[in-house]
Amino acid sequence: MRLADCLALVEIKYRTISIALVFVIFMSLLSSCNIVKRVKAGEHLVTENVILEDDKKTKEERINNIVIQKANSGMQGIFNFPLKLHVYNLARPNIDSIIDAKILSNPNKVRRKTNLLSKKQFDKYIQSKRDFNSWLKRTGEAPVIYNQNKTEKTASNLNKYYAKRGWFNNTVDFEVNKDSNKRANVTYKVVKNEPYTLDSIKPFISSPAIDTLYSDFSKASYLKQGDQFDEDNYERERERINTYLRNSGFYYFGQDYIRMVIDTIGTNHKVNTELIIADRSIRGGDSTITRPFKIYKIKEINIFTDDNFDNRFKAISDTTTYKDYTLYSKNKLKFRPNALTDAVFINKGDIYSDLARSRTTRYLNDLQMFRYPSIDYVENEKDTTLTANIYLEPRKKYTLSFDPEINQSNIQTIGFSFSTGLKIRNIFRGAETLEVTGIAAIGASKDRSDDASAFFDINEYGGNIRLTLPRLFTPFNTDKIIPKYMSPNTIINLSATSQQNIGLDKQTSAGIVGYNWFPSNTVSNTVELFNVQFVKNLNTDNYFGVYTNSFDRLDNIARDIGYINPSESLEDPTNNFDPADVFIDDVLTGNTSLTPQDDEYVSVSNIDERKDRLTENNLIFSSSFDYKKDKRQNIFDNDFSVFKWRIELAGNLLSNLSEVFGASKNDNGNYEVFGVAFSQYFKTEIDYVKYFDFGRNNIFAFRSYAGIAIPYGNSNSIPFAESFFGGGPNDNRAWTAYNLGPGSTNTTDEFNEANFKIHLSAEQRFGLFGKLRGALFVDVGNIWNVLDNVEDENATFTGFKSLKNIAIGSGFGLRYDFDFFVLRFDVGFKTYDPAQELDNRWFRDYNFRNAVYNIGINYPF
């Protein structure tokens, strides 16, 4: 190793050690701060709460959350470091007295500072000290002082908790260990004793109509003989019975009519239960009468199609009867009747059902045609029937949007873009939505192949047409396979874009026919029946002007072998890259000193293969299926999982048609459509995300992902747009996007991609100050080539042994929650770099100089 390299290595290691040493010293100084600094004499800081369940420590979150007086955050965390408490302790409890004693009580000091700052600035200076002290208190966390009453309350709550779970005879004691350093540890000792189990369940049902259904709705009961008593199951059972009866025609039934009475006296740890369902109470004036519950049926359904505030005094002018529905309009009816009745699950002659009501409301909302649709039921006094009135307030038929934007990027110094969109609702009177959008952009750049500065030489324009149909647009009936309560819809989308002086100046056209439906609140399905994409590269001669690293590599090889003089370049004076193409051809045809065994020859061959693939036009005709199961209940839920699966097949239809019609093949043995060899491949992706909520903003998140795209038939490689890449703010954060892999290759290509990918991420998130969050993360994964035309062993996945080339990145991050989005900053370090020599991969560049800094919006997964 050269002396300069040795010195550089020593300098890097020295700086790394220095940074680590400063960090350790800082943490040590904070740790040395007295955490009981603000604890008064005779008081004790709660440092730990332990719950012993039959002499065994329990870590169950639900039980530990019963403790009223929890220790300060961080006290029992991973690092056992109460940062917020330390921040709070930095604040002065008597800041006004300190300011008065050190500044205000000294007239000379006040006069000097006033003369220096002015009276107004001096007052702001004094106030800033008070404000900063207040900020420390707000940001920090006051010490948790032991309180006997709160401890006794916690013990009482624990006793109640275990009693609700069937341990009626449990006992709870506590011990408090106070030391001379003003610290206190609290230990709660729970002895559960023998639990109680369910025995007999006797129904007492007053209404005959409900009593006749008991044998049916009792089959799915949460209360099973022999199960341990659990009070929550009684509440679940009340909710289940209420739901069942509300969907069985009992319009006036409510959960308050259900009571559970338990008996445990002299039962030898058995629980006998009485299920009591009372008659309906009807209030009239000052008296209340009881009547048996009755089953109500739907007599008629009325749909008011234009109910809004503006026409509230108008009379009905248009009445239409369609099947069993009557549609009323104060103006002319603007919808085809079946477009509205298909969204209604309430049918004439059916018994009343909450489920039909909620499905109708959901479907009407999914149409996005109306504002807050509502459903009212009116009892017909002569019989046990109901009239359902559905009130609809149409949204505006036309909506226009504008979106101007100013941006910068690595290819333009400044850019301006403008997009506009027109949404037309109910365009064909069948509740369809048509969206037409257009985009135009211009930008200023300095092209590598042109020494003259060009202003606004970049431009991009395009358009998109999207039609949404609130049903499956198919030639056959699919109601039995996909019922309408799953809110099925059809998407037809057409788009086209054109770029100039962006990359290779692409023209892209695409068309999609797809179906969506939602079997449940957590599951969504999407089928793209046809997805056609055509990509045409208009400026392939500028390939080496875009992929400059490949050109520089060729340039260096040409000089090294004497193909050109050291002062020359493969780029001619006219900024043309034809000499580079000539050099590639000469190398591959044996007109240079390089042989296929030489590393430089392999590099030139790989560059040529990559150039051919990235400059070829692409025609993709595919079909796909997407399945998603998202168990997240709302945006505040931090204990959930999300599973996604996608499968895609491309080129099969075109391949079969080409064979049937005997189409000819090109020189490479591939079928062509409109002069372009279409892509044929199989692609699948699996993505699983799991969150674990440990309380107090402490969340552990995990993600696993795998994807593979296998070319076959008419293709021996995957189109660039369908390939996988590694790195970036939402992937392996220790590498920039497209900079990782494939495999153990140490390529300098601008865009590294492959057709097989594995990725795993784990992230521990925790609260810091207010809405500021911290995170520690580990990202694992890489990309490889498999079953395609890439022959480089370092880039190819050949089996489990290739997993030694998996990359590991780790780091830390900060997030600030703005409620409607999260601003994220992550620092990633290369922990295990497969691009290095096998025995020198761990912590090779693990320092801030070689770290990757990522800024992103919202969490990475």
Side-chain angles (χ1 to χ4, degrees):
M1 182 181 293
R2 294 179 304 168
L3 178 60
D5 293 335
C6 292
L7 292 175
L9 183 60
V10 170
E11 180 184 2
I12 291 173
K13 291 185 176 180
Y14 172 75
R15 290 188 178 184
T16 304
I17 293 172
S18 299
I19 292 172
L21 185 59
V22 170
F23 180 76
V24 170
I25 293 174
F26 174 74
M27 295 297 288
S28 299
L29 288 173
L30 279 179
S31 299
S32 64
C33 295
N34 189 0
I35 60 174
V36 296
K37 182 178 181 180
R38 303 302 178 198
V39 179
K40 299 178 182 178
E43 295 181 340
H44 292 80
L45 177 72
V46 177
T47 58
E48 186 179 20
N49 291 289
V50 176
I51 299 176
L52 297 180
E53 188 181 89
D54 292 336
D55 295 327
K56 293 182 179 179
K57 183 177 180 180
T58 178
K59 294 184 178 180
E60 188 175 340
E61 181 185 357
R62 183 167 58 172
I63 297 176
N64 281 277
N65 281 340
I66 296 174
V67 177
I68 296 175
Q69 204 170 24
K70 297 180 175 64
N72 287 95
S73 58
M75 191 75 75
Q76 296 175 257
I78 299 175
F79 303 105
N80 192 25
F81 183 74
L83 179 60
K84 288 188 176 182
L85 176 58
H86 283 300
V87 172
Y88 182 90
N89 285 341
L90 293 175
R92 300 297 184 91
N94 54 341
I95 185 65
D96 289 329
S97 299
I98 293 174
I99 293 174
D100 185 68
K102 292 188 175 182
I103 301 176
L104 300 180
S105 63
N106 189 334
N108 293 330
K109 183 179 290 187
V110 171
R111 186 167 49 255
R112 286 197 305 271
K113 288 187 176 292
T114 302
N115 293 334
L116 179 65
L117 299 174
S118 82
K119 180 65 168 62
K120 184 177 180 180
Q121 293 297 325
F122 175 73
D123 291 341
K124 288 185 177 181
Y125 166 72
I126 296 298
Q127 187 59 40
S128 67
K129 287 183 170 293
R130 296 190 179 100
D131 292 343
F132 179 68
N133 198 74
S134 299
W135 179 84
L136 289 174
K137 288 184 176 181
R138 291 194 310 271
T139 304
E141 191 176 79
V144 178
I145 306 301
Y146 172 76
N147 183 289
Q148 177 79 11
N149 292 333
K150 292 181 178 180
T151 303
E152 292 174 353
K153 182 65 174 177
T154 297
S156 176
N157 290 344
L158 285 170
N159 179 266
K160 293 176 183 178
Y161 171 83
Y162 283 95
K164 288 180 179 180
R165 299 298 174 268
W167 290 285
F168 293 158
N169 299 326
N170 77 84
T171 60
V172 181
D173 297 318
F174 62 87
E175 291 183 357
V176 183
N177 181 19
K178 300 178 181 179
D179 61 22
S180 57
N181 295 321
K182 299 183 181 180
R183 292 171 170 84
N185 298 330
V186 184
T187 302
Y188 299 92
K189 298 181 179 181
V190 180
V191 179
K192 294 185 293 185
N193 293 316
E194 185 178 350
Y196 279 69
T197 57
L198 301 184
D199 193 17
S200 64
I201 301 174
K202 296 180 180 180
F204 294 90
I205 302 174
S206 300
S207 300
I210 296 178
D211 190 39
T212 58
L213 297 177
Y214 176 74
S215 60
D216 291 331
F217 68 72
S218 63
K219 293 177 182 177
S221 176
Y222 286 103
L223 307 178
K224 303 290 186 182
Q225 188 176 20
D227 286 355
Q228 184 170 324
F229 176 89
D230 190 331
E231 188 175 289
D232 289 347
N233 284 336
Y234 280 77
E235 188 60 31
R236 294 189 189 102
E237 179 66 2
R238 292 180 70 234
E239 293 175 358
R240 188 192 67 82
I241 294 174
N242 179 67
T243 300
Y244 181 91
L245 296 178
R246 293 281 299 175
N247 287 323
S248 300
F250 297 96
Y251 174 67
Y252 287 105
F253 192 83
Q255 193 167 311
D256 291 342
Y257 289 103
I258 305 172
R259 289 192 301 124
M260 304 280 191
V261 179
I262 64 172
D263 178 21
T264 59
I265 299 175
T267 59
N268 192 24
H269 293 88
K270 301 292 183 182
V271 178
N272 296 318
T273 303
E274 292 181 355
L275 169 62
I276 302 172
I277 301 179
D279 280 337
R280 176 188 171 193
S281 298
I282 304 174
R283 292 183 180 179
D286 296 330
S287 62
T288 301
I289 60 174
T290 59
R291 292 287 186 270
F293 281 102
K294 296 179 180 180
I295 295 176
Y296 283 79
K297 291 187 177 182
I298 305 300
K299 186 176 184 178
E300 56 185 353
I301 305 105
N302 302 318
I303 304 175
F304 298 88
T305 63
D306 53 359
D307 183 75
N308 58 45
F309 183 81
D310 293 336
N311 61 14
R312 62 191 183 281
F313 299 120
K314 289 184 179 181
I316 300 295
S317 64
D318 191 356
T319 303
T320 303
T321 300
Y322 181 79
K323 295 183 178 180
D324 293 326
Y325 304 90
T326 304
L327 291 81
Y328 298 97
S329 301
K330 295 182 178 181
N331 299 305
K332 185 178 179 180
L333 180 62
K334 297 180 180 180
F335 294 85
R336 291 200 305 270
N338 67 324
L340 300 181
T341 59
D342 283 351
V344 178
F345 294 85
I346 304 168
N347 300 308
K348 183 178 180 179
D350 285 357
I351 62 175
Y352 170 81
S353 170
D354 273 355
L355 182 60
R357 182 178 191 169
S358 62
R359 283 177 172 175
T360 300
T361 302
R362 175 190 170 188
Y363 200 112
L364 289 169
N365 279 315
D366 288 344
L367 290 178
Q368 298 185 17
M369 294 286 133
F370 310 102
R371 297 178 183 273
Y372 316 115
S374 63
I375 305 173
D376 290 338
Y377 289 87
V378 178
E379 179 183 2
N380 301 305
E381 296 181 357
K382 295 181 180 180
D383 52 20
T384 54
T385 62
L386 299 170
T387 296
N389 296 319
I390 303 173
Y391 298 95
L392 306 176
E393 180 185 351
R395 296 175 182 267
K396 292 182 179 179
K397 185 177 182 67
Y398 301 100
T399 302
L400 194 61
S401 62
F402 300 94
D403 186 16
E405 190 174 292
I406 302 176
N407 49 62
Q408 284 184 309
S409 70
N410 59 344
I411 64 171
Q412 63 181 7
T413 56
I414 189 170
F416 302 91
S417 66
F418 176 80
S419 62
T420 183
L422 174 65
K423 177 183 285 189
I424 308 174
R425 296 184 176 90
N426 194 35
I427 185 170
F428 303 123
R429 299 184 65 241
E432 307 89 354
T433 301
L434 179 68
E435 297 175 77
V436 181
T437 58
I439 183 173
I442 57 174
S445 74
K446 186 176 181 180
D447 197 311
R448 184 185 186 279
S449 62
D450 186 2
D451 290 335
S453 296
F455 199 64
F456 291 153
D457 58 331
I458 290 176
N459 66 70
E460 180 179 6
Y461 56 88
N464 188 82
I465 300 175
R466 179 184 178 94
L467 177 64
T468 303
L469 308 174
R471 55 195 169 275
L472 295 187
F473 187 67
T474 62
F476 47 87
N477 193 332
T478 60
D479 288 346
K480 292 184 178 180
I481 303 173
I482 304 175
K484 67 177 184 178
Y485 73 80
M486 295 183 181
S487 299
N489 62 67
T490 302
I491 304 295
I492 302 173
N493 195 90
L494 299 173
S495 64
T497 59
S498 178
Q499 299 174 340
Q500 183 176 350
N501 287 335
I502 301 177
L504 302 180
D505 296 352
K506 293 182 179 181
Q507 287 183 345
T508 304
S509 302
I512 298 175
V513 177
Y515 305 126
N516 303 297
W517 68 96
F518 309 90
S520 68
N521 292 332
T522 60
V523 176
S524 61
N525 293 323
T526 299
V527 168
E528 290 184 353
L529 191 62
F530 302 113
N531 186 336
V532 184
Q533 301 177 58
F534 177 66
V535 180
K536 183 178 181 181
N537 296 301
L538 303 178
N539 190 14
T540 57
D541 291 339
N542 191 38
Y543 176 83
F544 289 115
V546 175
Y547 298 93
T548 56
N549 289 342
S550 295
F551 174 80
D552 291 340
R553 176 64 175 149
L554 287 177
D555 222 19
N556 291 332
I557 293 175
R559 292 192 189 93
D560 290 343
I561 66 173
Y563 185 84
I564 57 176
N565 294 325
S567 60
E568 295 179 342
S569 173
L570 291 176
E571 179 184 8
D572 66 26
T574 62
N575 297 317
N576 191 293
F577 294 98
D578 286 343
D581 292 319
V582 173
F583 173 65
I584 292 175
D585 187 63
D586 285 343
V587 170
L588 299 182
T589 56
N591 293 328
T592 67
S593 60
L594 295 177
T595 65
Q597 290 74 34
D598 294 327
D599 292 338
E600 290 84 356
Y601 183 97
V602 174
S603 295
V604 173
S605 178
N606 289 338
I607 291 173
D608 181 60
E609 179 275 330
R610 180 178 170 83
K611 177 176 180 291
D612 289 341
R613 190 159 72 87
L614 297 184
T615 56
E616 68 181 1
N617 299 327
N618 296 128
L619 175 61
I620 303 173
F621 195 110
S622 66
S623 300
S624 64
F625 170 73
D626 287 83
Y627 172 87
K628 180 180 179 181
K629 187 170 186 178
D630 188 347
K631 293 186 177 181
R632 188 167 194 170
Q633 298 180 358
N634 52 62
I635 60 174
F636 304 105
D637 184 8
N638 286 314
D639 199 330
F640 66 94
S641 64
V642 179
F643 175 78
K644 299 178 186 178
W645 176 52
R646 175 179 173 84
I647 184 171
E648 180 181 359
L649 286 171
N652 288 356
L653 179 60
L654 295 180
S655 179
N656 292 333
L657 290 176
S658 298
E659 291 182 4
V660 170
F661 291 103
S664 59
K665 297 184 177 181
N666 60 19
D667 295 339
N668 295 323
N670 297 326
Y671 292 116
E672 291 184 346
V673 175
F674 304 121
V676 179
F678 56 85
S679 299
Q680 190 171 7
Y681 59 84
F682 164 82
K683 183 178 182 181
T684 186
E685 300 169 81
I686 296 177
D687 193 356
Y688 178 75
V689 173
K690 175 63 179 173
Y691 277 44
F692 299 91
D693 190 352
F694 298 113
R696 306 182 78 177
N697 293 322
N698 189 10
I699 299 164
F700 179 77
F702 170 80
R703 183 194 181 198
S704 59
Y705 171 90
I708 188 170
I710 303 175
Y712 65 95
N714 210 55
S715 299
N716 55 13
S717 63
I718 298 298
F720 179 83
E722 298 295 330
S723 60
F724 303 102
F725 70 92
N730 297 322
D731 197 80
N732 198 320
R733 285 160 280 186
W735 281 262
T736 56
Y738 290 97
N739 195 38
L740 175 61
S744 62
T745 57
N746 193 10
T747 176
T748 57
D749 292 335
E750 290 84 355
F751 301 101
N752 295 310
E753 40 79 39
N755 66 327
F756 175 51
K757 178 176 180 178
I758 296 175
H759 177 77
L760 302 169
S761 280
E763 186 168 283
Q764 181 67 48
R765 301 165 186 168
F766 46 88
L768 291 176
F769 310 119
K771 295 185 177 182
L772 184 64
R773 311 279 192 264
L776 300 174
F777 62 83
V778 176
D779 300 322
V780 180
N782 206 338
I783 57 174
W784 292 268
N785 290 92
V786 60
L787 301 175
D788 62 0
N789 60 349
V790 175
E791 298 179 355
D792 186 354
E793 292 185 1
N794 294 326
T796 305
F797 190 88
T798 57
F800 285 107
K801 66 178 183 180
S802 296
L803 294 179
K804 68 183 179 182
N805 295 327
I806 207 160
I808 302 176
S810 59
F812 62 90
L814 297 173
R815 294 94 166 83
Y816 191 86
D817 190 350
F818 287 94
D819 293 331
F820 51 93
F821 75 94
V822 174
L823 181 63
R824 174 166 54 92
F825 174 73
D826 289 326
V827 182
F829 302 93
K830 294 178 177 63
T831 309
Y832 181 85
D833 187 356
Q836 306 299 332
E837 295 296 330
L838 190 59
D839 58 350
N840 196 26
R841 294 180 173 181
W842 286 100
F843 304 102
R844 169 69 183 271
D845 294 316
Y846 202 88
N847 50 63
F848 285 96
R849 172 183 289 182
N850 293 290
V852 174
Y853 301 89
N854 301 278
I855 297 177
I857 301 297
N858 294 327
Y859 292 105
F861 55 90

